[in-house]
Amino acid sequence: MRLSQYFLPVLKENPAEAQIVSHRLMLRAGMIKQSSAGIYSWLPLGYKVLRKVEEIVHQEQQRVGHIPMLMPTLQSADLWKESGRYDAYGPEMLRIRDRQDRDMLYGPTNEEMITDIFRSHVGSYKDLPLTLYHIQWKFRDEIRPRFGVMRGREFLMKDGYNFDLTKEDALHAYNRHLVSYLRTYERMGLQAIPMRADSGPIGGDDTHEFLVLAETGESEVFYDSEITDLTFGDREIDPSDHDACRAVLDEFTSRYARTDETHDPELFAKVPEERQRTARGIEVGQIFYFGTKYSEAMNAKVQGPDGKQVAVHMGSHGIGVSRLLGAIIEASHDDKGIIWPEGVTPFHAGIVNLKQGDAEADAACDALYNSLKALGLDPLYDDRKGGAGMKFATMDLIGLPWRITVGPRGLKNGVVELTSRRTGESEELPPEQAVEKLATIYAGIA
Ligand code: P5A
């Protein structure tokens, strides 16, 4: 993409309404625009990152055998009356009436709808286990929408639902999700720690939230510092291997790590004092096992091996897709702007032409641009007429991990400059080598 032809409405001034850095940077980098409280338009740059995050979520869900689908945003209230949650959900639910006077709602989550789909089409234990998921907009009329996409009213969620014959199988699905989520967040450059949490309106006793530690996080958390040494890395875990998934769950959840809702000061006191930490975190996901809560209420039964009808065991699992953009920026920025991890960057590299209009510099930039594209990379070429300062400031603000700077002086010596946004280190090298280096870096990113 050539910047002169793109739509990147960056802001020079800090927007007064933004209290935390990710919100400020998303507005300044022209990623989002508020349309009303807690509701945002995704401008091209923000939309690009959103799609990248979504794509990682899709890939990791499908890696463990979960099946993608899409359910609507608007739901009929009838299903929620069946489960009993229509009254229980409270004022966070946006209730709508259609022209036939039917009660509708903008879905805050989809347990009821998926249970209805399941009971309509599945009748035998032979069709289990089954895990379906979608990535769809949700609406929760939060009393205090704030921090930009972090606590929105309309937000994008990956929500998945497992159906199993037995509790044991459903707990395996729970463990499998935990494994899959660890990998998903690491691909986005994040350390998200599973912590024992409260299940709130979703229900059930088994639940973990995934938290990214950040001062601006909304949740207070308590944990054993040893937990931050754990990484999932590039382990290959067979998603159908119960023991292997269970072992990962044990490894990542055996130390004390809880949100304030479930914090137990007595138990925490048993953690050696030098390892006790109190901090704040951003909840980027949550997994639940709630047994037969919905299947009993909504009569979602299958025929078991003995011919008897049994209510299926279920769980649900959510990832805050749009919130993740805020979390990634909170975890990765400096005073100049965003620093995107390679896995989610909107463009792979920026090309800065220091002397737009100079025939040699323009030709060198065009050649770089074309070679990167030919390798399947997606560069952003700042081809505007303007000073180096302005161009560098834009690149630093929007946070592309790599920048190639092209100017007449370097070209005389046959070199361009390749700069890492994260370290600020630059090296001079021939343009072909800069391209090669970027190709190698991105080949290593799944
Ligand atoms: C699990 C999937 C559920 O709704 N039902 C389907 C279960 N879980 S949850 O924890 O309530 O939400 C899942 C994740 O969605 C994100 N999230 C939000 N993101 C932005 N703004 C909000 N207002 C918001 N509310 C929830 C969180 O990341 C949460 O973990």
Side-chain angles (χ1 to χ4, degrees), residues 199-251:
S199 68
I202 306 292
D205 297 329
D206 289 281
T207 181
H208 281 91
E209 281 181 7
F210 287 77
L211 286 114
V212 173
L213 299 176
E215 275 167 34
T216 49
E218 290 195 286
S219 321
E220 190 173 26
V221 298
F222 303 83
Y223 62 95
D224 177 339
S225 64
E226 276 195 343
I227 206 155
T228 55
D229 297 336
L230 299 174
T231 51
F232 186 74
D234 51 12
R235 307 179 201 195
E236 289 295 338
I237 307 276
D238 174 356
S240 64
D241 183 339
H242 287 219
D243 294 340
C245 291
R246 173 80 216 196
V248 173
L249 175 116
D250 287 343
E251 179 186 347

CSV table of all heavy atoms in Angstrom, one decimal, residues 199-251:
chain,number,residue,atom,x,y,z
A,199,SER,N,-17.6,-17.4,37.8
A,199,SER,CA,-18.2,-17.6,36.5
A,199,SER,C,-19.3,-16.7,36.1
A,199,SER,O,-19.8,-16.7,35.0
A,199,SER,CB,-18.7,-19.1,36.5
A,199,SER,OG,-19.8,-19.2,37.4
A,200,GLY,N,-19.7,-15.8,37.0
A,200,GLY,CA,-20.7,-14.8,36.7
A,200,GLY,C,-22.0,-15.3,36.1
A,200,GLY,O,-22.4,-16.4,36.4
A,201,PRO,N,-22.6,-14.6,35.1
A,201,PRO,CA,-23.8,-15.0,34.5
A,201,PRO,C,-23.7,-16.2,33.6
A,201,PRO,O,-24.8,-16.8,33.2
A,201,PRO,CB,-24.3,-13.8,33.8
A,201,PRO,CG,-23.1,-12.9,33.5
A,201,PRO,CD,-22.1,-13.3,34.6
A,202,ILE,N,-22.5,-16.7,33.3
A,202,ILE,CA,-22.4,-17.9,32.4
A,202,ILE,C,-22.7,-19.1,33.2
A,202,ILE,O,-23.4,-20.0,32.7
A,202,ILE,CB,-21.0,-17.9,31.7
A,202,ILE,CG1,-20.7,-16.6,31.0
A,202,ILE,CG2,-20.9,-19.1,30.8
A,202,ILE,CD1,-21.5,-16.3,29.8
A,203,GLY,N,-22.2,-19.2,34.4
A,203,GLY,CA,-22.5,-20.3,35.3
A,203,GLY,C,-21.4,-21.4,35.4
A,203,GLY,O,-20.5,-21.3,34.6
A,204,GLY,N,-21.6,-22.3,36.3
A,204,GLY,CA,-20.6,-23.4,36.5
A,204,GLY,C,-19.6,-23.0,37.5
A,204,GLY,O,-19.5,-21.9,38.0
A,205,ASP,N,-18.9,-24.1,38.0
A,205,ASP,CA,-17.8,-23.9,39.0
A,205,ASP,C,-16.4,-23.8,38.4
A,205,ASP,O,-15.5,-23.3,39.1
A,205,ASP,CB,-17.9,-25.0,40.0
A,205,ASP,CG,-19.2,-25.0,40.8
A,205,ASP,OD1,-19.8,-23.9,40.9
A,205,ASP,OD2,-19.7,-26.1,41.1
A,206,ASP,N,-16.2,-24.5,37.3
A,206,ASP,CA,-14.9,-24.5,36.7
A,206,ASP,C,-14.7,-23.4,35.8
A,206,ASP,O,-15.4,-23.4,34.7
A,206,ASP,CB,-14.7,-25.9,36.0
A,206,ASP,CG,-14.6,-27.0,37.0
A,206,ASP,OD1,-13.5,-27.2,37.6
A,206,ASP,OD2,-15.6,-27.7,37.1
A,207,THR,N,-13.9,-22.5,36.1
A,207,THR,CA,-13.6,-21.4,35.1
A,207,THR,C,-12.2,-20.8,35.4
A,207,THR,O,-11.8,-20.7,36.5
A,207,THR,CB,-14.7,-20.4,35.2
A,207,THR,OG1,-14.4,-19.3,34.2
A,207,THR,CG2,-14.9,-19.7,36.5
A,208,HIS,N,-11.6,-20.5,34.3
A,208,HIS,CA,-10.3,-19.7,34.4
A,208,HIS,C,-10.4,-18.5,33.4
A,208,HIS,O,-11.0,-18.6,32.3
A,208,HIS,CB,-9.1,-20.6,33.9
A,208,HIS,CG,-8.7,-21.5,35.0
A,208,HIS,ND1,-9.1,-22.8,35.1
A,208,HIS,CD2,-7.7,-21.4,36.0
A,208,HIS,CE1,-8.5,-23.4,36.1
A,208,HIS,NE2,-7.7,-22.6,36.6
A,209,GLU,N,-9.9,-17.4,33.9
A,209,GLU,CA,-9.7,-16.2,33.1
A,209,GLU,C,-8.3,-16.2,32.6
A,209,GLU,O,-7.4,-16.6,33.4
A,209,GLU,CB,-10.0,-14.9,33.9
A,209,GLU,CG,-11.5,-14.7,34.0
A,209,GLU,CD,-11.7,-13.4,34.8
A,209,GLU,OE1,-10.8,-12.6,35.1
A,209,GLU,OE2,-12.9,-13.1,35.1
A,210,PHE,N,-8.0,-15.6,31.5
A,210,PHE,CA,-6.7,-15.4,31.0
A,210,PHE,C,-6.4,-13.9,31.1
A,210,PHE,O,-7.1,-13.1,30.6
A,210,PHE,CB,-6.5,-15.9,29.5
A,210,PHE,CG,-6.6,-17.4,29.4
A,210,PHE,CD1,-7.7,-18.1,29.5
A,210,PHE,CD2,-5.4,-18.1,29.2
A,210,PHE,CE1,-7.8,-19.4,29.3
A,210,PHE,CE2,-5.4,-19.4,29.0
A,210,PHE,CZ,-6.6,-20.1,29.1
A,211,LEU,N,-5.3,-13.6,31.9
A,211,LEU,CA,-5.0,-12.2,32.1
A,211,LEU,C,-3.6,-11.8,31.6
A,211,LEU,O,-2.6,-12.5,31.8
A,211,LEU,CB,-5.1,-11.9,33.6
A,211,LEU,CG,-6.6,-11.9,34.0
A,211,LEU,CD1,-6.9,-13.0,34.9
A,211,LEU,CD2,-6.9,-10.6,34.6
A,212,VAL,N,-3.6,-10.7,31.0
A,212,VAL,CA,-2.3,-10.1,30.6
A,212,VAL,C,-2.0,-9.0,31.6
A,212,VAL,O,-2.8,-8.1,31.9
A,212,VAL,CB,-2.5,-9.4,29.2
A,212,VAL,CG1,-1.2,-8.6,28.8
A,212,VAL,CG2,-2.8,-10.4,28.1
A,213,LEU,N,-0.8,-9.1,32.2
A,213,LEU,CA,-0.5,-8.2,33.3
A,213,LEU,C,-0.3,-6.8,32.7
A,213,LEU,O,0.5,-6.7,31.7
A,213,LEU,CB,0.8,-8.7,34.0
A,213,LEU,CG,0.6,-10.0,34.8
A,213,LEU,CD1,1.9,-10.4,35.4
A,213,LEU,CD2,-0.5,-10.0,35.8
A,214,ALA,N,-0.9,-5.8,33.3
A,214,ALA,CA,-0.7,-4.4,32.8
A,214,ALA,C,-1.3,-3.5,33.9
A,214,ALA,O,-2.3,-3.8,34.5
A,214,ALA,CB,-1.5,-4.2,31.5
A,215,GLU,N,-0.5,-2.4,34.1
A,215,GLU,CA,-1.0,-1.5,35.2
A,215,GLU,C,-2.4,-1.0,35.0
A,215,GLU,O,-3.1,-0.7,35.9
A,215,GLU,CB,0.0,-0.3,35.2
A,215,GLU,CG,1.2,-0.5,36.0
A,215,GLU,CD,2.3,0.5,35.8
A,215,GLU,OE1,1.9,1.7,35.6
A,215,GLU,OE2,3.5,0.2,35.8
A,216,THR,N,-2.7,-0.9,33.7
A,216,THR,CA,-4.0,-0.3,33.4
A,216,THR,C,-5.2,-1.3,33.4
A,216,THR,O,-6.3,-1.0,33.0
A,216,THR,CB,-4.0,0.4,32.0
A,216,THR,OG1,-3.4,-0.6,31.1
A,216,THR,CG2,-3.1,1.6,32.0
A,217,GLY,N,-4.8,-2.6,33.7
A,217,GLY,CA,-5.8,-3.6,33.7
A,217,GLY,C,-7.0,-3.3,34.7
A,217,GLY,O,-6.7,-2.7,35.7
A,218,GLU,N,-8.2,-3.8,34.3
A,218,GLU,CA,-9.3,-3.5,35.2
A,218,GLU,C,-9.4,-4.5,36.4
A,218,GLU,O,-10.2,-4.2,37.3
A,218,GLU,CB,-10.6,-3.6,34.4
A,218,GLU,CG,-10.7,-2.4,33.4
A,218,GLU,CD,-12.1,-2.3,32.9
A,218,GLU,OE1,-12.5,-3.1,32.0
A,218,GLU,OE2,-12.8,-1.4,33.3
A,219,SER,N,-8.7,-5.7,36.3
A,219,SER,CA,-8.9,-6.6,37.4
A,219,SER,C,-7.7,-6.6,38.3
A,219,SER,O,-6.5,-6.5,37.8
A,219,SER,CB,-9.0,-8.1,36.8
A,219,SER,OG,-9.8,-8.1,35.6
A,220,GLU,N,-8.0,-6.8,39.6
A,220,GLU,CA,-6.8,-6.9,40.5
A,220,GLU,C,-6.5,-8.4,40.6
A,220,GLU,O,-7.4,-9.2,40.7
A,220,GLU,CB,-7.2,-6.4,41.9
A,220,GLU,CG,-6.0,-6.3,42.8
A,220,GLU,CD,-6.3,-5.7,44.1
A,220,GLU,OE1,-7.5,-5.7,44.6
A,220,GLU,OE2,-5.4,-5.1,44.7
A,221,VAL,N,-5.2,-8.8,40.5
A,221,VAL,CA,-4.9,-10.2,40.5
A,221,VAL,C,-3.8,-10.5,41.6
A,221,VAL,O,-3.0,-9.6,41.9
A,221,VAL,CB,-4.4,-10.6,39.1
A,221,VAL,CG1,-5.5,-10.5,38.1
A,221,VAL,CG2,-3.1,-9.9,38.7
A,222,PHE,N,-3.8,-11.7,42.0
A,222,PHE,CA,-2.8,-12.2,43.0
A,222,PHE,C,-2.2,-13.4,42.5
A,222,PHE,O,-2.9,-14.3,42.1
A,222,PHE,CB,-3.6,-12.4,44.3
A,222,PHE,CG,-4.4,-11.3,44.8
A,222,PHE,CD1,-5.6,-11.0,44.3
A,222,PHE,CD2,-3.8,-10.4,45.8
A,222,PHE,CE1,-6.4,-9.9,44.7
A,222,PHE,CE2,-4.6,-9.3,46.2
A,222,PHE,CZ,-5.8,-9.1,45.7
A,223,TYR,N,-0.8,-13.5,42.5
A,223,TYR,CA,-0.2,-14.7,41.9
A,223,TYR,C,1.2,-14.9,42.5
A,223,TYR,O,1.8,-14.1,43.1
A,223,TYR,CB,-0.2,-14.6,40.4
A,223,TYR,CG,0.7,-13.4,39.9
A,223,TYR,CD1,2.0,-13.6,39.5
A,223,TYR,CD2,0.1,-12.1,39.8
A,223,TYR,CE1,2.8,-12.6,39.1
A,223,TYR,CE2,0.9,-11.1,39.3
A,223,TYR,CZ,2.2,-11.3,38.9
A,223,TYR,OH,3.0,-10.3,38.5
A,224,ASP,N,1.6,-16.2,42.3
A,224,ASP,CA,2.9,-16.6,42.6
A,224,ASP,C,3.8,-16.2,41.5
A,224,ASP,O,3.6,-16.6,40.3
A,224,ASP,CB,2.9,-18.1,42.8
A,224,ASP,CG,4.2,-18.8,43.1
A,224,ASP,OD1,5.2,-18.2,42.8
A,224,ASP,OD2,4.2,-19.9,43.6
A,225,SER,N,4.9,-15.5,41.7
A,225,SER,CA,5.7,-14.9,40.6
A,225,SER,C,6.3,-16.0,39.7
A,225,SER,O,6.6,-15.7,38.6
A,225,SER,CB,6.8,-14.0,41.2
A,225,SER,OG,7.7,-14.8,41.9
A,226,GLU,N,6.4,-17.2,40.3
A,226,GLU,CA,7.0,-18.3,39.4
A,226,GLU,C,6.2,-18.5,38.2
A,226,GLU,O,6.7,-19.1,37.2
A,226,GLU,CB,7.0,-19.6,40.2
A,226,GLU,CG,8.2,-19.8,41.1
A,226,GLU,CD,8.4,-21.2,41.6
A,226,GLU,OE1,7.4,-22.0,41.5
A,226,GLU,OE2,9.5,-21.5,42.1
A,227,ILE,N,4.9,-18.2,38.2
A,227,ILE,CA,4.0,-18.4,37.1
A,227,ILE,C,4.4,-17.7,35.8
A,227,ILE,O,4.2,-18.1,34.7
A,227,ILE,CB,2.5,-18.1,37.5
A,227,ILE,CG1,1.6,-19.0,36.6
A,227,ILE,CG2,2.2,-16.7,37.3
A,227,ILE,CD1,0.3,-19.2,37.3
A,228,THR,N,5.1,-16.5,36.0
A,228,THR,CA,5.4,-15.7,34.9
A,228,THR,C,6.7,-16.3,34.1
A,228,THR,O,7.0,-15.9,33.1
A,228,THR,CB,5.7,-14.3,35.2
A,228,THR,OG1,6.7,-14.3,36.3
A,228,THR,CG2,4.5,-13.6,35.7
A,229,ASP,N,7.3,-17.3,34.7
A,229,ASP,CA,8.4,-18.0,34.0
A,229,ASP,C,7.9,-19.0,33.0
A,229,ASP,O,8.7,-19.5,32.2
A,229,ASP,CB,9.3,-18.8,35.0
A,229,ASP,CG,9.9,-17.8,36.1
A,229,ASP,OD1,10.1,-16.6,35.7
A,229,ASP,OD2,10.3,-18.3,37.2
A,230,LEU,N,6.7,-19.4,33.1
A,230,LEU,CA,6.2,-20.4,32.2
A,230,LEU,C,5.9,-19.9,30.8
A,230,LEU,O,5.3,-18.8,30.7
A,230,LEU,CB,4.9,-21.0,32.8
A,230,LEU,CG,4.9,-21.7,34.1
A,230,LEU,CD1,3.5,-22.0,34.6
A,230,LEU,CD2,5.8,-22.9,34.1
A,231,THR,N,6.3,-20.7,29.8
A,231,THR,CA,5.9,-20.3,28.4
A,231,THR,C,5.4,-21.6,27.7
A,231,THR,O,5.9,-22.7,28.0
A,231,THR,CB,7.0,-19.7,27.6
A,231,THR,OG1,8.1,-20.5,27.7
A,231,THR,CG2,7.4,-18.3,28.0
A,232,PHE,N,4.5,-21.4,26.8
A,232,PHE,CA,4.0,-22.6,26.1
A,232,PHE,C,5.0,-23.0,25.0
A,232,PHE,O,5.2,-24.1,24.7
A,232,PHE,CB,2.6,-22.3,25.6
A,232,PHE,CG,2.0,-23.5,24.9
A,232,PHE,CD1,1.5,-24.6,25.7
A,232,PHE,CD2,1.9,-23.6,23.5
A,232,PHE,CE1,1.0,-25.7,25.1
A,232,PHE,CE2,1.4,-24.8,23.0
A,232,PHE,CZ,0.9,-25.8,23.8
A,233,GLY,N,5.5,-21.9,24.3
A,233,GLY,CA,6.5,-22.1,23.3
A,233,GLY,C,6.0,-22.9,22.1
A,233,GLY,O,4.8,-22.8,21.8
A,234,ASP,N,6.8,-23.7,21.5
A,234,ASP,CA,6.4,-24.4,20.3
A,234,ASP,C,6.1,-25.9,20.5
A,234,ASP,O,6.2,-26.7,19.6
A,234,ASP,CB,7.4,-24.2,19.1
A,234,ASP,CG,8.8,-24.6,19.6
A,234,ASP,OD1,8.9,-25.2,20.7
A,234,ASP,OD2,9.8,-24.3,18.9
A,235,ARG,N,5.5,-26.2,21.7
A,235,ARG,CA,5.1,-27.6,22.0
A,235,ARG,C,4.1,-28.0,21.0
A,235,ARG,O,3.2,-27.2,20.7
A,235,ARG,CB,4.5,-27.7,23.4
A,235,ARG,CG,5.3,-27.1,24.5
A,235,ARG,CD,4.6,-27.3,25.8
A,235,ARG,NE,5.0,-26.3,26.7
A,235,ARG,CZ,4.8,-26.4,28.0
A,235,ARG,NH1,4.0,-27.4,28.5
A,235,ARG,NH2,5.2,-25.5,28.9
A,236,GLU,N,4.2,-29.3,20.6
A,236,GLU,CA,3.1,-29.8,19.8
A,236,GLU,C,2.3,-30.8,20.7
A,236,GLU,O,2.8,-31.8,21.1
A,236,GLU,CB,3.7,-30.6,18.6
A,236,GLU,CG,4.3,-29.8,17.5
A,236,GLU,CD,3.4,-28.9,16.8
A,236,GLU,OE1,2.1,-29.2,16.8
A,236,GLU,OE2,3.8,-27.9,16.2
A,237,ILE,N,1.1,-30.4,21.0
A,237,ILE,CA,0.2,-31.2,21.9
A,237,ILE,C,-0.9,-31.8,21.0
A,237,ILE,O,-1.6,-31.1,20.3
A,237,ILE,CB,-0.4,-30.4,23.0
A,237,ILE,CG1,0.7,-29.6,23.8
A,237,ILE,CG2,-1.2,-31.3,23.9
A,237,ILE,CD1,1.4,-30.4,24.9
A,238,ASP,N,-1.0,-33.1,21.1
A,238,ASP,CA,-2.1,-33.7,20.3
A,238,ASP,C,-3.4,-33.4,21.0
A,238,ASP,O,-3.6,-33.8,22.2
A,238,ASP,CB,-1.9,-35.3,20.3
A,238,ASP,CG,-3.1,-36.0,19.7
A,238,ASP,OD1,-4.1,-35.4,19.4
A,238,ASP,OD2,-2.9,-37.3,19.6
A,239,PRO,N,-4.3,-32.6,20.4
A,239,PRO,CA,-5.6,-32.2,21.0
A,239,PRO,C,-6.5,-33.3,21.5
A,239,PRO,O,-7.3,-33.1,22.4
A,239,PRO,CB,-6.3,-31.3,20.0
A,239,PRO,CG,-5.6,-31.7,18.7
A,239,PRO,CD,-4.2,-32.2,19.0
A,240,SER,N,-6.3,-34.5,21.0
A,240,SER,CA,-7.1,-35.6,21.5
A,240,SER,C,-6.5,-36.4,22.6
A,240,SER,O,-7.1,-37.3,23.2
A,240,SER,CB,-7.4,-36.6,20.3
A,240,SER,OG,-6.2,-37.2,19.9
A,241,ASP,N,-5.3,-36.0,23.0
A,241,ASP,CA,-4.6,-36.7,24.1
A,241,ASP,C,-5.0,-36.1,25.4
A,241,ASP,O,-4.5,-35.0,25.8
A,241,ASP,CB,-3.1,-36.6,23.8
A,241,ASP,CG,-2.3,-37.3,24.9
A,241,ASP,OD1,-2.8,-37.6,26.0
A,241,ASP,OD2,-1.1,-37.6,24.6
A,242,HIS,N,-5.9,-36.8,26.1
A,242,HIS,CA,-6.4,-36.2,27.4
A,242,HIS,C,-5.3,-36.0,28.4
A,242,HIS,O,-5.3,-34.9,29.1
A,242,HIS,CB,-7.4,-37.2,28.1
A,242,HIS,CG,-8.7,-37.3,27.3
A,242,HIS,ND1,-9.9,-37.4,28.0
A,242,HIS,CD2,-9.0,-37.3,26.0
A,242,HIS,CE1,-10.9,-37.5,27.1
A,242,HIS,NE2,-10.4,-37.4,25.9
A,243,ASP,N,-4.4,-36.9,28.5
A,243,ASP,CA,-3.3,-36.8,29.5
A,243,ASP,C,-2.4,-35.6,29.2
A,243,ASP,O,-2.0,-34.9,30.1
A,243,ASP,CB,-2.5,-38.1,29.6
A,243,ASP,CG,-3.3,-39.2,30.2
A,243,ASP,OD1,-4.3,-38.9,30.8
A,243,ASP,OD2,-2.9,-40.4,30.0
A,244,ALA,N,-2.1,-35.4,28.0
A,244,ALA,CA,-1.1,-34.4,27.6
A,244,ALA,C,-1.8,-33.0,27.9
A,244,ALA,O,-1.1,-32.1,28.4
A,244,ALA,CB,-0.8,-34.5,26.1
A,245,CYS,N,-3.1,-32.9,27.5
A,245,CYS,CA,-3.8,-31.6,27.8
A,245,CYS,C,-3.9,-31.3,29.3
A,245,CYS,O,-3.7,-30.2,29.8
A,245,CYS,CB,-5.2,-31.6,27.1
A,245,CYS,SG,-5.1,-31.6,25.3
A,246,ARG,N,-4.2,-32.4,30.0
A,246,ARG,CA,-4.3,-32.3,31.5
A,246,ARG,C,-3.0,-31.8,32.1
A,246,ARG,O,-2.9,-31.0,33.0
A,246,ARG,CB,-4.8,-33.7,32.0
A,246,ARG,CG,-4.8,-33.8,33.5
A,246,ARG,CD,-6.1,-33.2,34.0
A,246,ARG,NE,-5.8,-32.5,35.3
A,246,ARG,CZ,-6.7,-32.2,36.2
A,246,ARG,NH1,-8.0,-32.4,35.9
A,246,ARG,NH2,-6.4,-31.6,37.3
A,247,ALA,N,-1.9,-32.4,31.6
A,247,ALA,CA,-0.6,-32.1,32.1
A,247,ALA,C,-0.3,-30.6,31.9
A,247,ALA,O,0.3,-29.9,32.8
A,247,ALA,CB,0.5,-32.9,31.5
A,248,VAL,N,-0.7,-30.0,30.8
A,248,VAL,CA,-0.4,-28.6,30.5
A,248,VAL,C,-1.3,-27.8,31.5
A,248,VAL,O,-0.8,-26.8,32.1
A,248,VAL,CB,-0.7,-28.2,29.1
A,248,VAL,CG1,-0.7,-26.7,28.9
A,248,VAL,CG2,0.2,-28.9,28.1
A,249,LEU,N,-2.5,-28.2,31.7
A,249,LEU,CA,-3.4,-27.5,32.6
A,249,LEU,C,-2.8,-27.5,34.0
A,249,LEU,O,-2.7,-26.5,34.7
A,249,LEU,CB,-4.8,-28.1,32.7
A,249,LEU,CG,-5.7,-27.5,33.7
A,249,LEU,CD1,-6.9,-26.8,33.1
A,249,LEU,CD2,-6.1,-28.5,34.8
A,250,ASP,N,-2.3,-28.7,34.4
A,250,ASP,CA,-1.7,-28.8,35.8
A,250,ASP,C,-0.5,-27.9,35.9
A,250,ASP,O,-0.3,-27.2,36.9
A,250,ASP,CB,-1.3,-30.2,36.1
A,250,ASP,CG,-2.5,-31.1,36.3
A,250,ASP,OD1,-3.6,-30.5,36.6
A,250,ASP,OD2,-2.4,-32.3,36.2
A,251,GLU,N,0.3,-27.9,34.8
A,251,GLU,CA,1.6,-27.1,34.9
A,251,GLU,C,1.2,-25.6,35.0
A,251,GLU,O,1.9,-24.9,35.8
A,251,GLU,CB,2.4,-27.3,33.6
A,251,GLU,CG,3.7,-26.5,33.5
A,251,GLU,CD,4.3,-26.7,32.2
A,251,GLU,OE1,4.0,-27.6,31.4
A,251,GLU,OE2,5.3,-25.9,31.9
